[in-house]
Amino acid sequence: MKSTFQTIEGTSDLLPGAPKALVRTEVWHHIERGIHEIMRRHGFSEIRTPILEHTGLIARGIGQLTDIVSKEMYTFERGNTNYVLRPELTAPIMRSYLQHHLEQQPGVQRLYYLGACFRAERPQKGRYRQFHQFGAEIIGTEDPRADAEIIAVMMEVYRALGLLETRLRINTLGSAETRPQYREALVRYLEPHRETLTGVSQDRLSRNPLRILDTKVEAERKILKEAPRLYAYLDEESRRNYEALKRVLASIAIPYLEDPMLVRGLDYYTRTAFELEHDGIGAQSALAGGGRYDLLAPAIGAKKPVPAVGFAAGMERLILAMEGSGLPLPESDPFDVWMIALGDAAGEKAFIFVQSLRRAGLRAGLELTGRSMKAQMRLANRAGSRWVVILGEKELETEQAIVKDMVTGEQIAVPFMGLTQNLTEKLK
Ligand code: HAM
């Protein structure tokens, strides 16, 4: 059977027991549980914001000149309002922080999230139009320990899930005051090479020259080797912060690589910027990225800066990386008990038992289409059930069910009266 419609390019259905780990619901549950647990341990609380936001929030927050805002947003108009399907969650979370006056809460805010994001990119392995991020933000402090804490909680999620071969690159982007000077110096240096640059970089040279720094084009990398370094233009405080961040990371044994060419695709960053990479997820090596964004709040209307730092990571890239590293991923969620009923009367009785087992806390299953014993046994096997309970006419008469241990193959008769208790105790 086939419908006229298929999923939209760059989006996917998640299905229980799907052969591909990337779209298997059980794998997502496994990873989501891990994320919730690590976040809880680190003292982060979950925030959920709407998928729809005002386009202005994203455009002003992320920056008009970024690829995301200039080419990748899904927007639509209704009445006089322009809506966007969120391409990320940091600007929405800062909006929420300001809207609900979270600055009035005592201490810093440690918030984490999981959710769907949308970017109109060219789909390929590790890059989708609807993808899912998890991430965390610490809002309310300039302390570089917050930057280190964000990096630490990010790394811990991967470590807890068994993904150890990651590479952390860090950089500082300096302050909003010093960056224009660096920008000028970079443009001055690159201008004589304009003809050698790719079309994309030529365009960036006039609009967003810092983005040229993270080019993957070898010829451009060569040119950039001699380019002025942002580090030379840093203000005293940014420099001190960067040194402090490196010290704190070293003190908690988090290895990092300093990369003066690291720039991010969103305009709201100042000072700390970082990315976590993994080989083996195709052209998209970035598992996660983030940094400090003290000026995002004023960009979206706050009267003054709100110090904040965070990271976001792609769920799909995490799954691809885990799969690529050969880490075990759950196949399906096995049943505790599967009821097999033969005949209508047994079917009704079995239904009552199944509900009672479920209320008692067991994962219990039952086929509803009245198939043969053999077909039902096949389903019980597929469900990976630990126990199978068989009810036929004879069992109804004797008021005893047959309970089969699917590991040993052993069968015993258990009186109806004590059936739920018997199975609950077996599975304790
Ligand atoms: P981002 O680098 O744009 O940062 O995205 C973070 C992560 O989302 C990427 O490293 C990647 O794993 C995943 N990702 C991005 N686009 C796609 C896509 N089209 N398909 C699949 N995965 C994708 C941010 O979004 C910032 N909000 C991070 C942040 C949080 N900065 C401060 N706080």
Side-chain angles (χ1 to χ4, degrees):
M1 282 188 286
K2 205 169 167 184
S3 142
T4 320
F5 300 103
Q6 310 273 307
T7 45
I8 290 164
E9 196 190 351
T11 73
S12 307
D13 296 322
L14 302 187
L15 299 173
K20 269 170 61 186
L22 186 58
V23 292
R24 194 186 309 139
T25 325
E26 290 84 353
V27 170
W28 285 70
H29 282 172
H30 169 67
I31 288 170
E32 285 162 4
R33 269 195 299 272
I35 294 166
H36 288 299
E37 171 55 22
I38 296 302
M39 292 297 173
R40 199 185 67 81
R41 251 190 244 169
H42 286 73
F44 285 75
S45 306
E46 188 181 356
I47 179 171
R48 297 189 190 188
T49 60
I51 284 173
L52 278 185
E53 292 281 357
H54 287 288
T55 305
L57 167 72
I58 300 298
R60 285 167 57 180
I62 299 180
Q64 297 282 357
L65 299 178
T66 59
D67 285 353
I68 298 178
V69 171
S70 62
K71 344 188 243 229
E72 296 168 359
M73 286 198 298
Y74 284 105
T75 59
F76 63 94
E77 235 171 62
R78 251 188 182 236
N80 293 324
T81 309
N82 204 300
Y83 300 92
V84 62
L85 297 179
R86 66 181 182 201
E88 59 107 51
L89 280 92
T90 307
I93 286 168
M94 185 52 85
R95 185 233 356 102
S96 181
Y97 178 92
L98 297 169
Q99 181 176 340
H100 301 290
H101 302 288
L102 298 185
E103 77 281 359
Q104 289 170 9
Q105 306 277 333
V108 300
Q109 291 289 311
R110 286 185 176 81
L111 302 169
Y112 82 96
Y113 52 88
L114 295 137
C117 298
F118 303 83
R119 296 184 191 176
E121 299 194 81
R122 197 166 48 80
Q124 52 182 279
K125 185 176 177 192
R127 186 194 279 170
Y128 311 97
R129 291 185 172 162
Q130 176 178 334
F131 61 99
H132 299 79
Q133 284 190 343
F134 66 94
E137 318 284 347
I138 299 181
I139 310 181
T141 178
E142 287 185 18
D143 193 320
R145 280 178 303 174
D147 307 39
E149 194 177 324
I150 280 293
I151 291 176
V153 71
M154 170 183 81
M155 304 285 287
E156 187 57 19
V157 170
Y158 293 95
R159 200 193 63 84
L161 289 168
L163 200 65
L164 305 175
E165 329 80 74
T166 56
R167 208 168 35 246
L168 173 67
R169 293 188 296 130
I170 63 168
N171 192 16
T172 178
L173 302 174
S175 67
E177 288 78 40
T178 55
R179 210 171 323 153
Q181 295 164 28
Y182 174 64
R183 190 187 146 114
E184 229 171 83
L186 184 65
V187 172
R188 220 177 305 125
Y189 171 82
L190 285 174
E191 203 51 69
H193 300 280
R194 181 179 270 276
E195 295 311 308
T196 327
L197 300 179
T198 58
V200 176
S201 294
Q202 288 185 7
D203 185 45
R204 284 182 171 158
L205 190 54
S206 25
R207 285 149 47 94
N208 204 357
L210 264 67
R211 283 303 308 278
I212 302 175
L213 291 178
D214 72 350
T215 177
K216 305 273 181 293
V217 179
E218 208 36 57
E220 293 186 339
R221 282 183 179 228
K222 245 194 205 139
I223 295 172
L224 285 167
K225 273 205 177 113
E226 304 291 320
R229 289 282 189 264
L230 209 157
Y231 202 62
Y233 289 77
L234 284 187
D235 56 292
E236 208 24 59
E237 196 154 355
S238 295
R239 193 185 301 267
R240 251 202 324 270
N241 266 275
Y242 188 49
E243 294 306 322
L245 169 63
K246 289 189 284 180
R247 221 171 32 243
V248 181
L249 286 177
S251 76
I252 53 173
I254 292 185
Y256 58 82
L257 294 165
E258 283 184 76
D259 182 355
M261 298 301 186
L262 172 68
V263 279
R264 305 262 307 129
L266 305 93
D267 277 354
Y268 49 56
Y269 295 108
T270 50
R271 295 191 182 149
T272 307
F274 58 85
E275 280 194 355
L276 190 71
E277 293 176 334
H278 177 86
D279 301 323
I281 40 173
Q284 314 303 316
S285 58
L287 284 175
R292 179 160 279 285
Y293 54 93
D294 303 356
L295 299 179
L296 172 58
I300 61 171
K303 290 211 176 63
K304 47 182 206 253
V306 174
V309 59
F311 84 91
M315 288 285 285
E316 289 83 358
R317 291 189 194 175
L318 166 59
I319 296 172
L320 289 172
M322 288 179 72
E323 206 183 12
S325 303
L327 291 169
L329 291 167
E331 295 288 334
S332 60
D333 188 3
F335 277 75
D336 296 319
V337 183
W338 194 271
M339 296 288 292
I340 291 182
L342 297 161
D344 291 346
E348 281 183 23
K349 191 77 184 164
F351 190 76
I352 298 168
F353 279 134
V354 151
Q355 294 304 338
S356 149
L357 289 167
R358 289 170 175 168
R359 271 185 228 125
L362 304 189
R363 178 160 158 85
L366 168 76
E367 171 58 31
L368 293 177
T369 51
R371 304 217 187 154
S372 72
M373 171 83 180
K374 215 167 124 196
Q376 293 191 55
M377 206 47 163
R378 245 199 324 269
L379 286 171
N381 272 317
R382 260 189 65 178
S385 193
R386 178 69 184 78
W387 301 90
V388 169
V389 176
I390 303 164
L391 282 190
E393 265 168 40
K394 193 170 135 238
E395 285 71 34
L396 284 185
E397 253 166 48
T398 56
E399 303 213 325
Q400 290 198 332
I402 297 170
V403 175
K404 180 170 181 184
D405 182 329
M406 296 297 276
V407 173
T408 61
E410 199 186 337
Q411 288 190 184
I412 49 163
V414 177
F416 283 179
M417 279 294 283
L419 186 63
T420 301
Q421 202 190 351
N422 181 294
L423 286 164
T424 316
E425 263 160 27
K426 276 192 169 71
L427 282 155
K428 254 189 206 149

